[in-house]
Structures are given as C-alpha cells and as structure tokens.
Amino acid sequence: MAITAWAAAPGEEELRQAETGWAAAVQKGDVAALQRTLGDRLIYTHSTGVVEDKKEYLERLRKGTQKYELIEHASMNIRAYGNSGVVASRVRMKGRSNERLFDDQLLMLHVWVKQGGRWQLVAHQTTKLP
C-alpha cells in the first residue's frame, strides 16, 4: 500500500514561518519586529476577554505590563487562501499580565493577510482550555 504525503498548499509554509516568527518576537519582546508583523488594524483578543488594537498591545509590551516567557505551539492547523490565511493552534503561553502570572493551555486563532509582499497578523483570539 502506498502512502501519499499531504502537500502543503501554496502559502502554508510561509504562514508557518510567519506564525513561528510572531511567537519568537513576542517572547523576546521585540517591538520593532512586531511593528512590522502586526497589521495596522489589528484586533488582539486575549483569553481574558480584553480586546486591544496594535498601539495598545505594543505599548503594554514596551512597558512590560504584558510579558511572555514562553509561547509553545503543540499543534498548528494552517489554511492559506491566496493573500489571506488562518492558523488554528493549540499553545501553551506563560508569562505575566498586569503583575498576574499566567501559565495557560489555549486554543489560538490567527488571521493573516499578505500585504506589501509580507504576511501580517490582523486578528488574534485565544480561548483557555480547562
């Protein structure tokens, strides 16, 4: 019996790289990299229900009121649709938010749009797992 490898659709490997690049930049607190990675009209919804735009989110990272020491993808389900894509992941996020430590298992949904030749994150949503 032959085993057929599932080939990634065009753009899916680029999305995987964009996703892992986002996680690395967030963990490092690399605001300059995130300035390029995050779309100007970003909707960033935390698992707590707090919704921020790009400016608010980056400011919290700059000030250190939001800090991630770990973002670990357990799985990634990637779909590319031309110049847009969706990444649904299961992740562990560990860090500090407003002086509260967190170590959460989450479902995460990212919406990416390719603009100016590069992928930008335009929507983030996390849901805590029990």
Side-chain angles (χ1 to χ4, degrees), residues 45-117:
T45 306
H46 297 269
S47 64
T48 59
V50 172
V51 180
E52 296 172 324
D53 62 19
K54 180 178 180 176
K55 182 180 176 186
E56 292 166 324
Y57 181 65
L58 290 178
E59 186 62 24
R60 287 174 29 86
L61 291 175
R62 274 189 202 97
K63 289 181 177 178
T65 53
Q66 184 77 28
K67 175 130 178 72
Y68 301 86
E69 62 183 66
L70 177 72
I71 298 176
E72 183 177 69
H73 287 84
S75 65
M76 264 189 239
N77 193 347
I78 302 169
R79 297 289 185 269
Y81 303 97
N83 286 333
S84 63
V86 176
V87 180
S89 304
R90 183 175 176 140
V91 297
R92 177 182 178 200
M93 287 189 181
K94 186 175 177 183
R96 184 181 71 242
S97 180
N98 298 323
E99 301 304 318
R100 182 187 69 80
L101 296 176
F102 63 87
D103 186 352
D104 297 328
Q105 297 289 330
L106 304 158
L107 296 178
M108 181 171 69
L109 187 64
H110 278 172
V111 178
W112 293 86
V113 175
K114 196 169 195 177
Q115 299 178 14

Coordinates of all heavy atoms in Angstrom, one line a residue, residues 45-117:
T45 N -7.5 39.8 20.8 CA -8.4 39.4 21.8 C -7.7 38.4 22.7 O -7.4 37.3 22.3 CB -9.7 38.9 21.2 OG1 -10.2 39.8 20.3 CG2 -10.7 38.6 22.3
H46 N -7.5 38.8 23.9 CA -6.9 37.9 24.9 C -7.9 36.9 25.5 O -9.1 37.2 25.4 CB -6.3 38.7 26.1 CG -5.2 39.7 25.7 ND1 -3.9 39.3 25.8 CD2 -5.3 40.9 25.3 CE1 -3.2 40.3 25.4 NE2 -4.0 41.3 25.1
S47 N -7.4 35.8 26.1 CA -8.3 34.8 26.6 C -9.2 35.4 27.8 O -10.2 34.8 28.2 CB -7.6 33.6 27.1 OG -6.7 33.9 28.1
T48 N -8.7 36.5 28.4 CA -9.5 37.2 29.5 C -10.7 38.0 29.0 O -11.4 38.5 29.7 CB -8.5 38.1 30.2 OG1 -8.0 39.1 29.3 CG2 -7.4 37.4 30.9
G49 N -10.8 38.1 27.6 CA -11.8 38.9 27.0 C -11.4 40.4 26.7 O -12.1 41.1 26.1
V50 N -10.2 40.8 27.2 CA -9.7 42.1 26.9 C -9.3 42.1 25.4 O -8.7 41.2 24.8 CB -8.4 42.4 27.7 CG1 -7.7 43.7 27.3 CG2 -8.8 42.4 29.2
V51 N -9.8 43.2 24.7 CA -9.5 43.4 23.3 C -8.7 44.7 23.1 O -9.0 45.7 23.7 CB -10.8 43.6 22.5 CG1 -10.5 43.8 21.0 CG2 -11.7 42.4 22.7
E52 N -7.6 44.5 22.4 CA -6.6 45.7 22.2 C -6.4 45.9 20.7 O -6.5 44.9 19.9 CB -5.3 45.4 22.9 CG -5.4 45.3 24.4 CD -4.1 44.8 25.0 OE1 -3.4 44.0 24.4 OE2 -3.8 45.3 26.1
D53 N -6.0 47.1 20.3 CA -5.6 47.3 19.0 C -4.0 47.3 19.0 O -3.4 47.0 20.0 CB -6.1 48.7 18.4 CG -5.6 49.9 19.2 OD1 -4.6 49.8 20.0 OD2 -6.2 51.0 19.1
K54 N -3.4 47.5 17.8 CA -2.0 47.3 17.7 C -1.2 48.3 18.7 O -0.3 47.9 19.4 CB -1.6 47.6 16.3 CG -0.1 47.5 16.0 CD 0.2 47.8 14.5 CE 1.7 47.7 14.2 NZ 1.9 47.9 12.8
K55 N -1.7 49.5 18.7 CA -1.0 50.5 19.5 C -1.0 50.1 21.0 O 0.0 50.2 21.7 CB -1.6 51.9 19.3 CG -1.0 53.0 20.1 CD -1.6 54.3 19.9 CE -1.0 55.4 20.8 NZ -1.7 56.7 20.7
E56 N -2.2 49.7 21.5 CA -2.4 49.3 22.9 C -1.6 48.1 23.2 O -0.9 48.1 24.3 CB -3.9 49.0 23.2 CG -4.8 50.2 23.1 CD -6.2 49.9 23.1 OE1 -6.6 48.9 22.5 OE2 -7.0 50.7 23.7
Y57 N -1.6 47.1 22.4 CA -0.8 45.9 22.6 C 0.7 46.1 22.6 O 1.4 45.7 23.6 CB -1.2 44.8 21.5 CG -0.5 43.5 21.7 CD1 -0.7 42.7 22.8 CD2 0.5 43.1 20.8 CE1 -0.1 41.5 23.0 CE2 1.1 41.9 21.0 CZ 0.8 41.1 22.1 OH 1.5 39.9 22.3
L58 N 1.2 46.9 21.7 CA 2.6 47.1 21.6 C 3.1 48.0 22.8 O 4.1 47.8 23.4 CB 3.0 47.8 20.3 CG 3.0 46.9 19.1 CD1 3.3 47.7 17.8 CD2 3.9 45.7 19.2
E59 N 2.2 48.9 23.3 CA 2.5 49.7 24.4 C 2.7 48.9 25.7 O 3.6 49.1 26.5 CB 1.5 50.8 24.6 CG 1.8 51.8 25.7 CD 3.1 52.6 25.4 OE1 3.5 52.7 24.2 OE2 3.7 53.1 26.4
R60 N 1.8 47.9 25.8 CA 1.9 47.0 27.0 C 3.1 46.2 27.0 O 3.7 46.0 28.0 CB 0.6 46.2 27.1 CG -0.6 47.0 27.6 CD -1.9 46.3 27.6 NE -1.9 44.8 27.8 CZ -1.9 44.2 29.0 NH1 -1.9 45.0 30.1 NH2 -2.0 42.9 29.1
L61 N 3.5 45.8 25.8 CA 4.8 45.0 25.7 C 6.0 45.9 26.0 O 6.9 45.5 26.7 CB 4.9 44.4 24.3 CG 4.0 43.3 23.9 CD1 4.2 42.9 22.5 CD2 4.2 42.1 24.8
R62 N 6.0 47.2 25.5 CA 7.1 48.1 25.7 C 7.2 48.4 27.2 O 8.3 48.4 27.7 CB 6.8 49.5 25.0 CG 7.2 49.5 23.6 CD 7.1 51.0 23.1 NE 7.0 51.0 21.7 CZ 5.9 51.1 20.9 NH1 4.8 51.2 21.5 NH2 6.0 51.0 19.6
K63 N 6.1 48.6 27.9 CA 6.1 48.9 29.3 C 6.4 47.7 30.2 O 6.7 47.9 31.4 CB 4.8 49.5 29.7 CG 4.5 50.9 29.2 CD 3.2 51.4 29.7 CE 2.9 52.8 29.3 NZ 1.6 53.3 29.8
G64 N 6.2 46.5 29.6 CA 6.5 45.3 30.4 C 5.2 44.9 31.2 O 5.3 44.0 32.0
T65 N 4.1 45.5 31.0 CA 2.9 45.1 31.7 C 2.3 43.8 31.1 O 1.5 43.1 31.7 CB 1.8 46.2 31.7 OG1 1.6 46.6 30.4 CG2 2.2 47.4 32.6
Q66 N 2.7 43.5 29.9 CA 2.4 42.2 29.2 C 3.8 41.6 28.8 O 4.5 42.2 28.1 CB 1.5 42.4 28.0 CG 1.1 41.2 27.4 CD 0.0 40.5 28.1 OE1 -0.8 41.1 28.8 NE2 -0.1 39.2 28.0
K67 N 4.1 40.4 29.3 CA 5.4 39.8 29.1 C 5.2 38.3 28.9 O 4.5 37.7 29.7 CB 6.4 40.1 30.2 CG 7.7 39.4 30.0 CD 8.8 40.3 30.2 CE 10.1 39.6 30.1 NZ 10.5 39.2 28.8
Y68 N 5.7 37.8 27.8 CA 5.6 36.3 27.6 C 7.0 35.7 27.7 O 7.9 36.2 27.1 CB 5.1 36.1 26.2 CG 3.7 36.7 25.9 CD1 3.6 38.0 25.5 CD2 2.6 35.9 26.0 CE1 2.4 38.5 25.2 CE2 1.3 36.4 25.7 CZ 1.2 37.7 25.3 OH 0.0 38.3 25.1
E69 N 7.1 34.7 28.5 CA 8.4 34.0 28.6 C 8.3 32.7 27.8 O 9.4 32.1 27.5 CB 8.8 33.7 30.1 CG 7.9 32.8 30.8 CD 8.3 32.7 32.3 OE1 8.3 33.7 33.0 OE2 8.6 31.5 32.7
L70 N 7.1 32.2 27.4 CA 7.0 31.0 26.6 C 5.8 31.1 25.8 O 4.7 31.4 26.3 CB 6.9 29.8 27.5 CG 6.7 28.4 26.8 CD1 8.0 28.0 26.1 CD2 6.3 27.4 27.8
I71 N 5.9 30.8 24.5 CA 4.8 30.5 23.6 C 5.2 29.3 22.9 O 6.1 29.3 22.1 CB 4.5 31.7 22.6 CG1 4.1 32.9 23.4 CG2 3.4 31.2 21.7 CD1 3.9 34.1 22.5
E72 N 4.5 28.2 23.2 CA 4.9 26.9 22.7 C 3.7 26.3 21.9 O 2.7 26.0 22.5 CB 5.3 26.0 23.8 CG 5.8 24.6 23.4 CD 6.2 23.8 24.7 OE1 5.3 23.5 25.5 OE2 7.4 23.6 24.8
H73 N 3.9 26.1 20.6 CA 2.8 25.5 19.8 C 2.9 24.0 19.9 O 3.9 23.4 19.7 CB 3.1 25.8 18.3 CG 2.8 27.2 17.9 ND1 3.7 28.3 18.1 CD2 1.6 27.8 17.4 CE1 3.1 29.4 17.7 NE2 1.9 29.2 17.3
A74 N 1.7 23.4 20.3 CA 1.6 22.0 20.4 C 1.1 21.4 19.0 O 1.4 20.3 18.7 CB 0.6 21.6 21.5
S75 N 0.3 22.3 18.3 CA -0.1 21.9 17.0 C -0.5 23.2 16.3 O -0.7 24.2 16.8 CB -1.4 21.0 17.1 OG -2.5 21.7 17.7
M76 N -0.5 23.0 14.9 CA -0.9 24.1 14.0 C -1.7 23.6 12.9 O -1.2 22.6 12.2 CB 0.4 24.8 13.4 CG 0.9 26.0 14.2 SD 2.1 26.8 13.2 CE 3.5 26.8 14.3
N77 N -2.8 24.1 12.6 CA -3.7 23.8 11.5 C -3.7 25.0 10.6 O -4.3 26.0 11.0 CB -5.1 23.4 12.0 CG -5.9 22.7 10.9 OD1 -5.5 22.7 9.8 ND2 -7.0 22.1 11.4
I78 N -3.1 24.9 9.4 CA -2.8 26.1 8.6 C -3.6 26.0 7.3 O -3.6 25.0 6.6 CB -1.3 26.2 8.3 CG1 -0.5 26.3 9.6 CG2 -1.1 27.4 7.4 CD1 1.0 26.2 9.3
R79 N -4.3 27.1 7.0 CA -5.0 27.2 5.7 C -4.7 28.5 5.0 O -4.9 29.6 5.6 CB -6.6 27.2 5.9 CG -7.1 25.9 6.6 CD -7.0 24.7 5.6 NE -7.5 23.5 6.1 CZ -6.9 22.6 6.8 NH1 -5.6 22.8 7.1 NH2 -7.5 21.5 7.3
A80 N -4.2 28.4 3.8 CA -3.9 29.6 3.0 C -5.0 29.8 2.0 O -5.5 28.8 1.4 CB -2.6 29.5 2.3
Y81 N -5.4 31.1 1.8 CA -6.5 31.4 0.8 C -6.0 32.6 0.0 O -6.4 33.7 0.2 CB -7.8 31.7 1.5 CG -8.3 30.6 2.4 CD1 -8.1 30.6 3.7 CD2 -9.0 29.6 1.8 CE1 -8.5 29.6 4.6 CE2 -9.5 28.5 2.6 CZ -9.2 28.6 4.0 OH -9.7 27.6 4.8
G82 N -5.0 32.4 -0.9 CA -4.5 33.5 -1.7 C -3.7 34.4 -0.8 O -2.7 34.0 -0.2
N83 N -4.1 35.7 -0.7 CA -3.4 36.6 0.2 C -3.9 36.7 1.6 O -3.7 37.7 2.3 CB -3.5 38.0 -0.5 CG -2.6 38.1 -1.7 OD1 -1.6 37.4 -1.8 ND2 -2.9 39.0 -2.6
S84 N -4.6 35.7 2.0 CA -5.1 35.6 3.4 C -4.9 34.2 3.9 O -4.7 33.2 3.1 CB -6.5 36.1 3.6 OG -7.4 35.2 2.9
G85 N -4.9 34.0 5.2 CA -4.7 32.7 5.8 C -5.1 32.7 7.2 O -5.2 33.7 7.9
V86 N -5.4 31.5 7.7 CA -5.9 31.2 9.1 C -4.9 30.2 9.7 O -4.6 29.1 9.0 CB -7.3 30.7 9.1 CG1 -7.8 30.4 10.5 CG2 -8.2 31.8 8.5
V87 N -4.5 30.4 10.9 CA -3.7 29.4 11.6 C -4.5 29.2 13.0 O -4.6 30.1 13.8 CB -2.3 29.9 11.9 CG1 -1.5 28.8 12.7 CG2 -1.6 30.2 10.6
A88 N -4.9 27.9 13.1 CA -5.6 27.5 14.4 C -4.6 26.6 15.1 O -4.1 25.6 14.5 CB -6.9 26.7 14.1
S89 N -4.3 27.0 16.3 CA -3.2 26.3 17.1 C -3.7 25.9 18.5 O -4.6 26.5 19.0 CB -2.0 27.2 17.2 OG -1.5 27.6 16.0
R90 N -3.0 25.0 19.0 CA -3.1 24.7 20.5 C -1.7 25.1 21.0 O -0.7 24.7 20.5 CB -3.3 23.2 20.7 CG -3.5 22.9 22.2 CD -3.8 21.5 22.5 NE -3.8 21.3 23.9 CZ -4.7 20.6 24.6 NH1 -5.6 20.0 23.9 NH2 -4.7 20.5 25.9
V91 N -1.7 26.0 22.0 CA -0.5 26.6 22.5 C -0.5 26.6 24.0 O -1.5 26.6 24.7 CB -0.3 28.0 22.0 CG1 -0.1 28.1 20.5 CG2 -1.3 29.0 22.5
R92 N 0.8 26.7 24.5 CA 1.0 27.0 26.0 C 1.6 28.4 26.0 O 2.6 28.6 25.3 CB 1.9 26.0 26.6 CG 2.2 26.3 28.1 CD 3.2 25.3 28.7 NE 3.5 25.7 30.1 CZ 4.5 25.3 30.7 NH1 5.4 24.4 30.1 NH2 4.7 25.7 31.9
M93 N 1.0 29.3 26.7 CA 1.6 30.6 27.0 C 1.8 30.8 28.4 O 1.0 30.5 29.3 CB 0.6 31.7 26.5 CG 0.5 31.8 25.0 SD -0.4 33.3 24.6 CE -0.4 33.2 22.8
K94 N 3.0 31.3 28.7 CA 3.5 31.5 30.1 C 4.1 32.9 30.2 O 4.8 33.3 29.3 CB 4.5 30.4 30.5 CG 4.9 30.5 31.9 CD 5.8 29.3 32.2 CE 6.3 29.3 33.6 NZ 7.3 28.2 33.9
G95 N 3.7 33.7 31.2 CA 4.2 35.0 31.4 C 3.6 35.8 32.5 O 3.1 35.2 33.5
R96 N 3.5 37.1 32.2 CA 2.9 38.0 33.2 C 2.0 39.0 32.5 O 2.4 39.6 31.5 CB 4.0 38.7 34.0 CG 3.5 39.6 35.1 CD 4.6 40.3 35.9 NE 5.2 41.3 35.0 CZ 6.5 41.3 34.6 NH1 7.3 40.4 34.9 NH2 6.9 42.3 33.8
S97 N 0.8 39.3 33.1 CA 0.0 40.3 32.6 C -0.6 41.1 33.8 O -1.2 40.6 34.7 CB -1.2 39.7 31.8 OG -2.1 40.7 31.3
N98 N -0.2 42.4 33.8 CA -0.6 43.3 34.9 C -0.3 42.7 36.2 O -1.1 42.6 37.1 CB -2.1 43.6 34.8 CG -2.5 44.3 33.5 OD1 -1.8 45.2 33.0 ND2 -3.7 44.0 33.0
E99 N 1.0 42.3 36.3 CA 1.5 41.7 37.6 C 1.0 40.3 37.9 O 1.3 39.8 39.0 CB 1.4 42.7 38.7 CG 2.1 44.0 38.5 CD 3.6 43.9 38.2 OE1 4.3 43.1 38.8 OE2 4.0 44.6 37.3
R100 N 0.0 39.8 37.1 CA -0.5 38.5 37.4 C 0.2 37.4 36.5 O 0.3 37.6 35.3 CB -2.0 38.4 37.0 CG -2.7 37.1 37.3 CD -4.1 37.0 36.8 NE -4.2 37.0 35.4 CZ -4.1 36.0 34.6 NH1 -3.8 34.8 35.1 NH2 -4.2 36.0 33.3
L101 N 0.8 36.4 37.2 CA 1.5 35.3 36.4 C 0.4 34.5 35.8 O -0.7 34.2 36.3 CB 2.3 34.5 37.4 CG 3.5 35.3 38.0 CD1 4.2 34.4 39.0 CD2 4.5 35.8 37.0
F102 N 0.7 34.0 34.6 CA -0.1 33.0 33.9 C 0.7 31.9 33.3 O 1.8 32.1 32.9 CB -1.1 33.7 32.9 CG -0.3 34.4 31.7 CD1 0.0 33.6 30.6 CD2 0.0 35.7 31.8 CE1 0.7 34.2 29.5 CE2 0.7 36.3 30.7 CZ 1.0 35.6 29.6
D103 N 0.1 30.8 33.2 CA 0.6 29.6 32.5 C -0.6 28.8 32.0 O -1.2 28.0 32.7 CB 1.4 28.7 33.5 CG 2.2 27.6 32.9 OD1 1.9 27.3 31.7 OD2 3.0 26.9 33.5
D104 N -0.9 29.1 30.8 CA -2.2 28.7 30.2 C -2.0 27.8 29.0 O -1.2 28.0 28.2 CB -3.1 29.9 29.8 CG -3.4 30.8 30.9 OD1 -3.6 30.4 32.0 OD2 -3.5 32.0 30.6
Q105 N -2.9 26.8 28.9 CA -3.1 26.0 27.7 C -4.3 26.6 27.0 O -5.3 26.9 27.6 CB -3.5 24.5 28.1 CG -2.4 23.8 28.9 CD -1.2 23.5 28.0 OE1 -1.3 23.3 26.8 NE2 0.0 23.5 28.6
L106 N -4.0 26.9 25.7 CA -5.0 27.7 24.9 C -5.3 27.2 23.6 O -4.4 26.5 23.0 CB -4.5 29.1 24.8 CG -4.1 29.9 26.0 CD1 -3.1 31.0 25.7 CD2 -5.3 30.5 26.7
L107 N -6.4 27.5 23.0 CA -6.7 27.4 21.6 C -6.4 28.8 21.1 O -6.9 29.8 21.7 CB -8.1 26.9 21.3 CG -8.4 25.5 21.8 CD1 -9.9 25.2 21.4 CD2 -7.5 24.5 21.1
M108 N -5.8 28.9 20.0 CA -5.4 30.2 19.4 C -5.8 30.3 17.9 O -5.5 29.3 17.2 CB -3.9 30.5 19.6 CG -3.5 31.9 19.1 SD -1.8 32.2 19.6 CE -0.9 31.1 18.6
L109 N -6.5 31.3 17.5 CA -6.8 31.5 16.1 C -6.2 32.8 15.6 O -6.4 33.9 16.3 CB -8.3 31.6 16.0 CG -8.8 31.6 14.6 CD1 -8.5 30.3 13.8 CD2 -10.3 31.9 14.5
H110 N -5.4 32.7 14.6 CA -4.8 33.9 14.0 C -5.3 34.0 12.5 O -5.3 33.0 11.8 CB -3.2 33.7 13.9 CG -2.6 34.1 15.2 ND1 -1.3 33.9 15.5 CD2 -3.1 34.7 16.3 CE1 -0.9 34.3 16.7 NE2 -2.0 34.8 17.2
V111 N -5.5 35.3 12.2 CA -5.9 35.6 10.8 C -4.7 36.4 10.2 O -4.3 37.4 10.9 CB -7.2 36.4 10.7 CG1 -7.5 36.7 9.2 CG2 -8.3 35.5 11.3
W112 N -4.2 36.0 9.1 CA -3.0 36.7 8.5 C -3.5 37.2 7.1 O -4.3 36.6 6.4 CB -1.9 35.7 8.3 CG -1.3 35.2 9.5 CD1 -1.7 34.1 10.3 CD2 -0.1 35.7 10.2 NE1 -0.9 34.0 11.4 CE2 0.1 34.9 11.3 CE3 0.7 36.8 9.9 CZ2 1.2 35.2 12.2 CZ3 1.8 37.0 10.8 CH2 2.0 36.2 11.9
V113 N -2.9 38.3 6.7 CA -3.1 38.9 5.4 C -1.8 39.3 4.8 O -0.9 39.9 5.5 CB -4.1 40.2 5.5 CG1 -4.2 40.8 4.1 CG2 -5.4 39.8 6.0
K114 N -1.6 38.9 3.5 CA -0.3 39.3 2.9 C -0.5 40.6 2.2 O -1.3 40.9 1.3 CB 0.0 38.2 1.8 CG 1.5 38.3 1.3 CD 1.8 37.1 0.5 CE 3.3 36.9 0.3 NZ 3.6 35.7 -0.4
Q115 N 0.3 41.6 2.8 CA 0.3 43.0 2.3 C 1.7 43.4 2.0 O 2.6 43.2 2.9 CB -0.3 43.9 3.3 CG -1.8 43.5 3.7 CD -2.4 44.4 4.7 OE1 -1.8 45.4 5.1 NE2 -3.5 44.0 5.3
G116 N 1.9 44.0 0.9 CA 3.3 44.5 0.6 C 4.3 43.4 0.5 O 5.5 43.6 0.9
G117 N 3.9 42.2 0.1 CA 4.8 41.1 0.0 C 5.1 40.4 1.3 O 5.9 39.4 1.3

